[in-house]
Amino acid sequence: ALSCCQHPVEGMIDPDEFIPMVKQSGLIQPFTLWVLEQAIKQCKNWTDTGIDISIAVNLSTRNLLDPDLPGNIAKLLESYKVAPKYLSLEITESAVMSRPENALNILKQLDEMGLKLSIDDFGTGYSSLAYLKKLPVKELKIDQSFVFGLTTNDDDAVIVRSTIDLAHNLGLHAVAEGVENQDTLDLLAILNCDIAQGYHMGRPMPIQELNHWLKNSPWGIQD
């Protein structure tokens, strides 16, 4: 779920522009709960119409320090009668490592609820591999800054290849962010990357357009 803000003059504002202000204002916790509810509600709409896909929501450092988070998510899932498998939660290395023991406690509770957990923007933070293997995550998402240069920069190619191997050696799926052309997608397939996401497959879009994309795009749901 990508949160964009519709401004009456400026148009669509990307989350990179307004999320920092939400964090600084101290409203990130209620904002996250609102996003979670919208995501879970959409999952309910999809499952009711036979569409079997999940939605991912990003968690901030403050969310990982909130002892009420697991209970609040459980209440939302129960309220909308949505199975936990339809909700994925993405966390960054820096969010985990700011207070690792607290974060691990929250993540273990979320994992026990049946939610899928992912490390987002992997490679841009400062994580301990010894600690990483303790986290109950299912995916490593390779940061787009490395994926952008995959076909043109040898250093980026080494980082992407090594991260895919690391993920697989830890029993995790590797996800490449920021795929913007077919050459990158083809090379990721050769490197055995499990999942790719990016503008090559589809740009951020409102739910009405997404529903059309799911039915008509070659990247959508296949019968």
Side-chain angles (χ1 to χ4, degrees), residues 19 28 45 61 74 95 116-117 141 158 179 183 192 204 210 216:
I19 291 296
I28 192 62
N45 292 339
T61 301
K116 185 173 74 173
L117 305 175
K141 302 190 72 174
V158 169
V179 178
D183 287 345
N192 294 316
L210 178 57
N216 298 281

Side-chain angles (χ1 to χ4, degrees), residues 51-126:
I51 299 176
D52 188 27
I53 58 175
S54 62
I55 294 183
V57 175
N58 291 88
L59 297 182
S60 71
T61 301
R62 192 163 297 181
N63 295 138
L64 288 181
L65 300 178
D66 180 7
D68 295 327
L69 179 67
N72 286 332
I73 293 177
K75 290 177 183 177
L76 288 172
L77 292 171
E78 174 61 26
S79 175
Y80 289 97
K81 306 301 180 186
V82 171
K85 68 176 183 177
Y86 291 110
L87 181 63
S88 297
L89 300 174
E90 299 185 358
I91 52 178
T92 63
E93 296 172 85
S94 57
V96 173
M97 297 310 296
S98 64
R99 297 275 293 276
E101 295 305 321
N102 298 72
L104 182 58
N105 179 49
I106 296 295
L107 293 175
K108 284 182 176 179
Q109 293 181 60
L110 297 172
D111 178 61
E112 290 168 358
M113 291 167 54
L115 303 172
K116 185 173 74 173
L117 305 175
S118 302
I119 297 290
D120 195 22
D121 301 337
F122 186 77
T124 61
Y126 300 94

Side-chain angles (χ1 to χ4, degrees), residues 141-157:
K141 302 190 72 174
I142 308 167
D143 187 68
Q144 62 184 5
S145 62
F146 305 119
V147 178
F148 285 157
L150 177 59
T151 60
T152 58
N153 185 290
D154 290 341
D155 291 337
D156 287 340

Side-chain angles (χ1 to χ4, degrees), residues 167-218:
H168 291 165
N169 288 335
L170 291 172
L172 309 176
H173 284 135
V175 181
E177 302 178 295
V179 178
E180 296 198 344
N181 56 67
Q182 188 63 41
D183 287 345
T184 299
L185 187 62
D186 291 341
L187 184 50
L188 287 167
I190 293 172
L191 296 175
N192 294 316
C193 188
D194 301 288
I195 302 172
Q197 66 180 62
Y199 286 0
H200 181 61
M201 286 72 79
R203 291 176 174 269
M205 62 190 79
I207 190 62
Q208 294 83 1
E209 292 181 29
L210 178 57
N211 286 333
H212 178 80
W213 182 92
L214 287 171
K215 296 178 179 178
N216 298 281
S217 168

